[in-house]
Amino acid sequence: MSKRVYPQNPSVPSHHDTSQQPYPPQQGYPPQQGFPPQQAYPPQQGFPPQQAYPPQQGFPPQQAYPPQQGFPPQQPMDGYGYQGPPGPQFATHDQSRQSYLQPSAGLNAEFQRMQLSSQSEGLLPPRTSEPIPSAGQLLPTPSTGQLLPPSTSRQTPPSFPPSSGGVQSLRSTSGPMGLPPPTSGQNLPPTMGQPLRSGSQQGLSGPPTTGQFLPTPSVSGQYLPPPPTSGQGMPPTSGQGMPPPQTSAKVLGPPSTAGRYISPPPMTGQVLPPPPMTGHVLPPPPMSGQVLPPPPMTGQVLPPRPMSGQVLPPPPMSGQVLPPRPMSGQVLPPPPMSGQVLPPPPTSGQVLPPPPMSGQVLPPPPMSGQVLPPPPMSGQVLPPPPMSGQVLPPPPMSGQVLPPPPMGGQSKPVSGQVGPSMLSAAPTGMQLAQGSGAASSQGPTAVIQAPELHPVNIMETRSIMPSEPIKQPRITLPGGLQLYGAHPSVFCSTMNTVPATGSLLNKIKLPFAIHIHPYKDMNKQMCPVIHPTAIARCRVCRAYINPFVHFVDSRHWKCNLCFRPNALPEDFDYNPNTGKTGDRSHRTEIKRSCVEYIAPSDYMIRPPQPSVFYFLIDVSYPAIESGVLGVFCRTLLDLLNNLPGDARTLVGFLTYDSSLHFYNLKSSLTQPQMLVVSDLEEIFLPSPNSLLVNLKESKELVRTLLEDLPGMFAQNTSVQSALGAALQAAEKLLHTIGGRVTVLQSSLPNAGPGALKFREPVGATSVDAMNLSPSSDFYKTLALECSTQQIGVDLFVLTGQYVDLATISCIAKFSSGQILHHPDFHSKNKASTERFEENLKRYLTRNIGFEAVMRIRCTEGLSLHTFHGNFFVRSTDLLSLPLVNPDHAYTINIAIDESLKDLDVVCFQAALLYTSSRGERRIRVHTLALPVGVQPAHIYAGLNIQVMALVLANMSVDRCISGSLADARQALMAAVTDATSMYRSNISSQQGTFVLPESLRLLPVFVLSLLKHPAFALHSATPYDSRVQALNDFKSLPLDYLMAYIYPRLYGLHTLTEQNIKEDEEGNETMSVPRLSLSAEKLTRYGMYLLEYGLGMFIWVSKDSPQELIQNILGVPHFGAIAEDMTTLPSLDNGMSNVVNMLISQIRKSRQHFMPLLVIREDGPNRLQFINKLVEDRTDYGTTYFEYISHLQRQLSK
């Protein structure tokens, strides 16, 4: 191989190549929990409204189940009826959240422009006045003695979004139900709120005589019906409290008879009810002495007459207390439908609530045939009436069975705990995919009772750790939606029930955070791949459609994060498998919380980059002496054909000591060419076009280089390492394309840019004040430049000597790279060499994503405020990830900025956009839904103690870097005392005792394990770089891997039998072994134990272990024959050997890194490595568990 040495400071040219309007919320439904206002006593039941029962005299809306009794007005749109007030107002936010969501001025302006644009394009109907009756419309004729009544009043009709024309808001139109005005000849009832004209306007020339038939038309071609027949009954007279006449029209009919009074003329402007229908039998006149209510107030709108054939209840009994008359302007409901079964009247002495507030819009009557529940019992306390202007939801669907009303004394449900859920009130993506027709088919959810917390007295519980694996608590979502929630190993939270307010979260004194493992290795069942023509996303927050959205109708859906309506893609309802339209059962994105899209071309700024692998290898004397170069070259040679990528894959190599050694691997050469640059201050590329080559074209040259490299530097004696200069050269080479840089570092960088000095503290007294922050910003600044150019750096540290890992690790942390530390590596050490080889094999062949970004979205009212992991935060919710690998996870602390009391569920969504190793642009979307709780008991019951321990560890790592080790330890101790004291004040009444709920019972022992962990222990024997690596692991490793790292797992091997082999859910054989507490009292004199501690495994062999047991597992004749460096177990032909090897193999497969094994004899030199892992006993790293909780008890008693 030729070697060319370049002069210093040559002049080389630089090579820089240079993402309508929303619908008003239809309010869920559900006053159907009790019975709607008309279910009890409508005004027409037994006598006209003026006789004894004014319109509100039965069961007004507030008697049964008002909207706030389980269905607060914040219910989401369900698309099946909207009872909101009409009008052209333009809702910029979901009115169910208007208590705290206020649109900005800019957003209002934008929506107004959209509104005008939609009208101009014909998408929205223009605002017009109400229609007048058309020609041919039939109007009622006043009979003898009857006043000319106004037309019937109507309620606000339900509005539906248009079927075409894009997304429109629901606004008032010029006709009923949002339809256009009636055309000529169309027979329609009188319009709501349009009183009939005066007598002169109607064509009445004078007062008619008794029995006179008045066919005078009001409009051309429009006629009035004939008068009532004999026996129909006349309307009430003045003795029944009729008001004075409205206009100059005179009272029609003969004088009053005995016991009957002539009503005074209606007051000016009073709107009177319509006449009874033909054949309608009116009740007898009031009895003598009966007290009648006062006449209606001016402007009061009275309800229409009862339907023909309607069976009315008897009049009220004597002495019955009737509610007060309705307020001025109150809109009363129409009568019940024909054939509707009404409940009995209220019993004597029953206290009825006051009437609805002025201006309150009441819902329409229930559907025909609806089964109504019985009325409330005597003495039942009913909730207050709805507030003025409150919009009530529509009635239940026909045939729907409603639940009984609350029992007497039953308290009003609390939002988020009782009553139907926001998600069950409207069909969700999953429900519609399964064929759910409407929200009403689901029915109300069961009442959520306060959970049983099962308090545990920590001082009296000796074995706190369960023998079974710790499972994450189940997320309880309404409507069975937890079946479609995120897998806890992928997306989880510290609290499975979210506090409704920030003050409630402060009362718990525990962090609220989420943990996401976005690029975990998953099969297609866990994460199906979708090839869409168009991806359904929210037009406002850009969230992706998921199982927790609400479908407003067949063409629109409502975002579950920002609550805005959106249009579905044109072909969303088309099923290519069946060729039918309207079938969403094939839509995986609304059935799975984790999906992966093959992104279309509009998600690409540039063509997807190829897989790029550039290797930087330290060839200084420490690296050559340890043999790392030979092991690396040998392993890469074996896996050269297995590197992820396609035909475009590029590779390159650079070695460095006091100089930089580039390698020209151009395919036209016969052998690799070394190009040496000795100037470390002005880095340049000697041959930019041939330093990064196509692997397929230059594979033979690459093989030759890997075979020759160990021998080329075998005699190198340079102790200098120019890591900073090598990284600068790699950034110059890859800045136009991006890629992965792999660094193998074996010594302290001490030459060129980024040179460091020794600063490891010496002595136990300085451990608590140890400086764990970087000593230089050089590597962090360079990492940010790499991140901008989509370059990620992975760092292998292969030495036990000090390399200032706290500083050089910044190059990997801020470029989304990985840090792997092998402090005991040496090619002569078989165990360490095996560990490095296995980790390198996985590293080179695992799945990898390039030029990735991840955005985390959450429900309005929540915010992200602290991130943990290896990345660069590009904006408040966007993480820059030049590299993404399946061994990294991310943790985010959540803040509650606004009240969530009007929500039942909040959601989080993480969307990872990346380029696969095969050049495909993909989007992996994870969605997590969590219920909202308003009581501390629900929050405590849903605490996830494993995620809580991980988040506390992450927060302590930040405290170590920004403060000191002593500050971090103090914060961990305070977390336990604060959580316990707040639980005592919020829930527990056992003062003076150390009591925690069952969900938090493991918090003290987990915190004790953290205090004894090498990352936080006050022990001078822990090397500086090993402590820093432990801190880095807490920030980046997934939850499944970290739990054994925090609290090791101890198993008894001498108790294993073939009965411990079970089958998992997929039918595969797996070992189910009970776990033991980490205390010597669990060890027997004759036992053999396996300890898994996250980074490896120990097998502890007791001195008195049976000889047969030693022979069957270890394959040696007796205890004394066990080698001190035994790292493998033989595979013997017996049942005990099979189950032990099966357990070890199962543990190794479940970890992302290789788990080395070491057999430790009870009297061997490595015994302290095992004993120090028994965290519940006194060790070199701290006190016993009992002493620790006794100290906490004293702190709580102060």
Side-chain angles (χ1 to χ4, degrees):
M1 180 181 300
S2 61
K3 180 174 181 181
R4 185 187 307 169
V5 179
Y6 279 77
Q8 298 185 7
N9 299 324
S11 177
V12 178
S14 176
H15 298 267
H16 294 280
D17 299 332
T18 48
S19 234
Q20 311 172 355
Q21 183 175 355
Y23 298 105
Q26 291 87 347
Q27 299 196 353
Y29 317 155
Q32 64 267 37
Q33 278 196 346
F35 29 88
Q38 305 79 352
Q39 292 175 1
Y41 278 68
Q44 305 80 358
Q45 293 183 355
F47 38 88
Q50 300 81 0
Q51 275 194 337
Y53 274 83
Q56 66 281 19
Q57 283 182 4
F59 279 62
Q62 58 276 31
Q63 283 188 351
Y65 276 68
Q68 59 270 51
Q69 194 172 5
F71 273 85
Q74 308 82 311
Q75 297 279 335
M77 298 190 298
D78 58 7
Y80 299 96
Y82 170 61
Q83 292 295 326
Q89 57 265 31
F90 201 86
T92 58
H93 283 70
D94 183 0
Q95 295 181 7
S96 67
R97 292 179 50 81
Q98 62 185 347
S99 59
Y100 64 91
L101 295 181
Q102 298 298 331
S104 62
L107 191 58
N108 276 331
E110 180 184 353
F111 282 163
Q112 291 173 5
R113 290 193 299 270
M114 293 168 60
Q115 178 183 8
L116 295 176
S117 174
S118 299
Q119 290 181 354
S120 64
E121 295 173 6
L123 299 181
L124 295 179
R127 306 179 184 178
T128 60
S129 59
E130 293 289 338
I132 61 174
S134 59
Q137 181 173 348
L138 299 180
L139 300 179
T141 304
S143 58
T144 302
Q146 180 176 347
L147 296 178
L148 286 178
S151 61
T152 57
S153 63
R154 67 177 182 184
Q155 289 181 302
T156 304
S159 298
F160 292 83
S163 60
S164 64
V167 180
Q168 295 183 213
S169 68
L170 299 182
R171 58 168 66 201
S172 64
T173 59
S174 58
M177 298 296 290
L179 300 176
T183 59
S184 176
Q186 181 177 355
N187 292 329
L188 293 179
T191 311
M192 294 191 309
Q194 290 184 348
L196 293 180
R197 304 177 183 179
S198 63
S200 61
Q201 292 171 325
Q202 293 286 353
L204 298 178
S205 59
T209 60
T210 305
Q212 178 178 349
F213 175 65
L214 303 178
T216 306
S218 58
V219 186
S220 177
Q222 182 175 356
Y223 297 94
L224 304 178
T229 60
S230 176
Q232 174 179 342
M234 302 301 293
T237 59
S238 61
Q240 294 173 296
M242 294 299 293
Q246 175 182 1
T247 64
S248 61
K250 298 180 181 180
V251 180
L252 305 179
S256 62
T257 58
R260 191 163 186 171
Y261 303 93
I262 300 298
S263 61
M267 294 181 289
T268 301
Q270 176 176 346
V271 182
L272 300 181
M277 300 177 64
T278 301
H280 181 201
V281 180
L282 297 180
M287 296 180 292
S288 177
Q290 178 175 345
V291 180
L292 299 180
M297 302 180 65
T298 300
Q300 176 176 343
V301 181
L302 299 181
R305 60 181 181 272
M307 304 297 291
S308 176
Q310 177 177 340
V311 180
L312 302 179
M317 296 181 292
S318 177
Q320 179 173 345
V321 181
L322 301 180
R325 63 188 178 188
M327 297 187 176
S328 175
Q330 176 177 341
V331 181
L332 300 180
M337 304 297 290
S338 175
Q340 176 178 340
V341 181
L342 300 178
T347 57
S348 177
Q350 178 174 344
V351 180
L352 299 179
M357 305 295 292
S358 174
Q360 176 178 338
V361 181
L362 301 179
M367 304 296 290
S368 175
Q370 176 178 338
V371 181
L372 302 180
M377 298 186 175
S378 177
Q380 176 178 339
V381 180
L382 297 179
M387 303 298 293
S388 175
Q390 177 175 338
V391 181
L392 300 180
M397 302 296 290
S398 174
Q400 178 174 344
V401 181
L402 301 180
M407 305 297 293
Q410 179 174 333
S411 61
K412 172 187 173 183
V414 181
S415 173
Q417 301 175 14
V418 181
S421 160
M422 178 182 73
L423 294 182
S424 64
T428 61
M430 187 58 216
Q431 293 162 350
L432 285 184
Q434 293 178 337
S436 175
S440 60
S441 64
Q442 302 173 33
T445 57
V447 175
I448 302 177
Q449 302 293 335
E452 180 62 41
L453 297 180
H454 305 290
V456 178
N457 192 319
I458 303 299
M459 296 296 297
E460 297 178 358
T461 306
R462 187 168 186 85
S463 296
I464 197 71
M465 183 62 61
S467 60
E468 298 297 326
I470 304 172
K471 295 182 179 180
Q472 298 193 35
R474 184 180 181 184
I475 299 175
T476 304
L477 293 175
L481 291 177
Q482 64 269 18
L483 299 177
Y484 315 108
H487 195 279
S489 66
V490 177
F491 211 164
C492 53
S493 170
T494 57
M495 298 179 179
N496 284 358
T497 300
V498 178
T501 61
S503 59
L504 180 57
L505 178 60
N506 294 334
K507 289 182 179 180
I508 306 298
K509 285 289 185 181
L510 287 170
F512 176 32
I514 56 174
H515 181 75
I516 173 72
H517 188 183
Y519 202 61
K520 179 180 179 179
D521 289 327
M522 293 185 287
N523 54 35
K524 292 185 178 181
Q525 294 180 351
M526 292 184 63
C527 186
V529 179
I530 305 174
H531 297 74
T533 56
I535 300 177
R537 299 183 65 181
C538 177
R539 60 185 175 85
V540 179
C541 70
R542 306 302 297 159
Y544 294 82
I545 197 169
N546 57 80
F548 308 105
V549 303
H550 300 258
F551 284 93
V552 179
D553 54 27
S554 61
R555 298 298 304 147
H556 302 90
W557 60 283
K558 180 181 176 185
C559 178
N560 56 320
L561 298 183
C562 69
F563 310 107
R564 270 77 166 188
N566 301 274
L568 288 169
E570 292 295 332
D571 60 344
F572 192 82
D573 287 343
Y574 175 74
N575 191 335
N577 300 325
T578 61
K580 296 181 180 180
T581 302
D583 182 9
R584 299 175 182 166
S585 61
H586 70 290
R587 285 293 177 180
T588 308
E589 56 265 43
I590 60 175
K591 297 191 295 183
R592 299 293 183 89
S593 63
C594 176
V595 294
E596 185 163 286
Y597 298 95
I598 304 296
S601 58
D602 54 349
Y603 284 80
M604 307 175 191
I605 301 177
R606 62 178 184 179
Q609 72 171 57
S611 297
V612 179
F613 306 108
Y614 198 64
F615 299 95
L616 306 183
I617 308 171
D618 181 10
V619 291
S620 62
Y621 175 78
I624 300 302
E625 191 274 334
S626 65
V628 61
L629 185 58
V631 176
F632 167 77
C633 292
R634 183 172 62 250
T635 305
L636 183 56
L637 270 172
D638 296 338
L639 300 175
L640 201 57
N641 295 327
N642 298 330
L643 293 180
D646 53 14
R648 303 180 301 155
T649 302
L650 304 178
V651 296
F653 298 88
L654 185 151
T655 57
Y656 59 93
D657 45 18
S658 59
S659 303
L660 304 184
H661 316 124
F662 297 90
Y663 296 92
N664 185 351
L665 300 173
K666 194 173 183 179
S667 58
S668 59
L669 298 177
T670 58
Q671 63 176 0
Q673 183 181 22
M674 176 189 288
L675 308 174
V676 180
V677 175
S678 58
D679 186 0
L680 302 180
E681 299 301 328
E682 297 291 338
I683 302 300
F684 69 97
L685 302 179
S687 180
N689 297 328
S690 59
L691 301 180
L692 198 62
V693 297
N694 185 281
L695 177 60
K696 183 177 181 180
E697 297 174 357
S698 303
K699 182 174 293 185
E700 293 302 322
L701 288 177
V702 172
R703 289 185 177 275
T704 302
L705 176 64
L706 293 177
E707 292 171 354
D708 295 342
L709 270 180
M712 292 168 55
F713 296 97
Q715 306 300 322
N716 189 11
T717 59
S718 174
V719 294
Q720 290 184 325
S721 177
L723 174 62
L727 289 170
Q728 288 179 336
E731 191 273 336
K732 284 182 177 291
L733 180 63
L734 303 181
H735 80 280
T736 61
I737 188 172
R740 184 178 74 180
V741 177
T742 303
V743 178
L744 279 74
Q745 185 68 22
S746 300
S747 60
L748 178 70
N750 54 11
L756 303 175
K757 297 181 180 180
F758 185 85
R759 63 173 182 142
E760 183 177 8
V762 179
T765 57
S766 61
V767 173
D768 57 345
M770 182 182 299
N771 186 1
L772 298 172
S773 59
S775 61
S776 172
D777 291 336
F778 172 83
Y779 294 95
K780 179 179 179 179
T781 303
L782 183 57
L784 298 182
E785 295 177 2
C786 291
S787 179
T788 303
Q789 305 300 333
Q790 300 297 336
I791 302 172
V793 181
D794 292 330
L795 180 62
F796 282 82
V797 178
L798 302 160
T799 180
Q801 301 296 322
Y802 173 78
V803 295
D804 198 355
L805 189 59
T807 302
I808 66 173
S809 62
C810 292
I811 190 63
K813 289 196 295 185
F814 293 98
S815 66
S816 72
Q818 186 176 7
I819 307 165
L820 296 99
H821 189 213
H822 294 256
D824 56 347
F825 174 80
H826 199 283
S827 59
K828 297 180 181 179
N829 186 330
K830 183 179 179 181
S832 64
T833 302
E834 181 185 16
R835 181 191 173 199
F836 173 60
E837 287 178 344
E838 295 296 330
N839 288 342
L840 185 61
K841 288 178 181 179
R842 171 174 171 77
Y843 171 81
L844 294 173
T845 58
R846 68 186 178 186
N847 291 329
I848 184 174
F850 297 96
E851 51 181 355
V853 291
M854 184 171 69
R855 190 180 296 275
I856 299 98
R857 300 176 174 91
C858 57
T859 299
E860 289 185 354
L862 304 174
S863 62
L864 317 175
H865 71 84
T866 305
F867 296 81
H868 307 278
N870 294 352
F871 47 75
F872 170 64
V873 182
R874 186 179 296 179
S875 64
T876 56
D877 61 350
L878 183 65
L879 306 182
S880 176
L881 305 171
L883 295 178
V884 58
N885 66 77
D887 301 335
H888 270 185
Y890 309 92
T891 305
I892 303 100
N893 286 71
I894 308 298
I896 302 178
D897 300 330
E898 302 173 4
S899 174
L900 306 174
K901 288 184 178 180
D902 57 343
L903 300 179
D904 290 333
V905 172
V906 297
C907 294
F908 301 88
Q909 188 176 88
L912 177 69
L913 174 65
Y914 71 97
T915 300
S916 70
S917 58
R918 295 190 175 274
E920 292 178 329
R921 199 72 173 147
R922 296 193 173 202
I923 310 168
R924 184 174 292 192
V925 181
H926 305 274
T927 307
L928 174 67
L930 298 173
V932 177
V934 297
Q935 295 182 4
H938 292 90
I939 311 303
Y940 281 112
L943 293 178
N944 191 329
I945 187 58
Q946 296 186 89
V947 187
M948 191 71 68
L950 181 147
V951 174
L952 290 176
N954 278 271
M955 297 171 67
S956 300
V957 171
D958 292 340
R959 186 67 64 89
C960 284
I961 297 174
S962 61
S964 65
L965 191 60
D967 294 339
R969 293 175 57 87
Q970 185 177 359
L972 284 171
M973 297 281 287
V976 182
T977 55
D978 290 346
T980 306
S981 60
M982 295 309 296
Y983 172 74
R984 181 185 296 177
S985 61
N986 293 331
I987 302 293
S988 178
S989 59
Q990 306 180 28
Q991 300 296 329
T993 59
F994 193 178
V995 177
L996 285 173
E998 185 178 17
S999 59
L1000 277 181
R1001 73 188 188 279
L1002 299 179
L1003 180 61
V1005 69
F1006 281 162
V1007 170
L1008 176 63
S1009 299
L1010 289 173
L1011 293 173
K1012 290 187 172 184
H1013 196 275
F1016 304 104
L1018 292 177
H1019 195 276
S1020 59
T1022 304
Y1024 180 88
D1025 288 338
S1026 296
R1027 188 185 299 272
V1028 172
Q1029 178 60 26
L1031 298 176
N1032 293 333
D1033 288 341
F1034 280 122
K1035 298 282 282 187
S1036 61
L1037 291 182
L1039 177 66
D1040 293 345
Y1041 308 150
L1042 274 179
M1043 289 317 299
Y1045 197 43
I1046 295 174
Y1047 189 90
R1049 298 165 183 171
L1050 182 64
Y1051 308 99
L1053 298 182
H1054 57 281
T1055 61
L1056 294 182
T1057 63
E1058 294 184 354
Q1059 296 180 354
N1060 295 105
I1061 302 177
K1062 309 292 183 181
E1063 285 190 1
D1064 57 13
E1065 298 177 354
E1066 300 178 357
N1068 301 321
E1069 290 187 348
T1070 182
M1071 291 293 298
S1072 177
V1073 186
R1075 294 173 52 176
L1076 303 175
S1077 299
L1078 296 179
S1079 175
E1081 67 177 2
K1082 301 298 182 181
L1083 307 180
T1084 62
R1085 297 170 49 192
Y1086 53 83
M1088 188 179 297
Y1089 301 90
L1090 175 67
L1091 180 71
E1092 175 199 354
Y1093 60 94
L1095 299 180
M1097 294 177 288
F1098 295 141
I1099 289 183
W1100 174 266
V1101 184
S1102 301
K1103 184 181 297 184
D1104 296 335
S1105 297
Q1107 184 173 348
E1108 181 181 2
L1109 180 67
I1110 295 176
Q1111 292 176 352
N1112 290 337
I1113 296 179
L1114 303 179
V1116 295
H1118 52 80
F1119 177 82
I1122 301 175
E1124 296 179 353
D1125 58 349
M1126 187 175 184
T1127 58
T1128 58
L1129 295 184
S1131 180
L1132 305 176
D1133 189 14
N1134 61 76
M1136 183 64 70
S1137 177
N1138 292 336
V1139 295
V1140 170
N1141 281 284
M1142 183 177 179
L1143 176 61
I1144 294 174
S1145 176
Q1146 177 178 307
I1147 293 174
R1148 284 176 168 169
K1149 288 181 179 179
S1150 66
R1151 297 292 176 263
Q1152 87 279 18
H1153 54 266
F1154 179 72
M1155 299 283 288
L1157 175 68
L1158 178 62
V1159 179
I1160 299 177
R1161 292 167 39 175
E1162 184 180 353
D1163 59 352
N1166 299 320
R1167 61 188 304 269
L1168 286 180
Q1169 296 186 45
F1170 178 86
I1171 293 176
N1172 285 333
K1173 300 297 182 183
L1174 304 178
V1175 297
E1176 297 186 24
D1177 294 340
R1178 179 182 295 276
T1179 65
D1180 295 340
Y1181 297 94
T1183 62
T1184 66
Y1185 174 69
F1186 182 77
E1187 293 172 341
Y1188 167 70
I1189 60 176
S1190 298
H1191 171 73
L1192 295 178
Q1193 172 72 9
R1194 291 191 296 269
Q1195 294 292 324
L1196 293 170
S1197 302
K1198 291 182 179 180

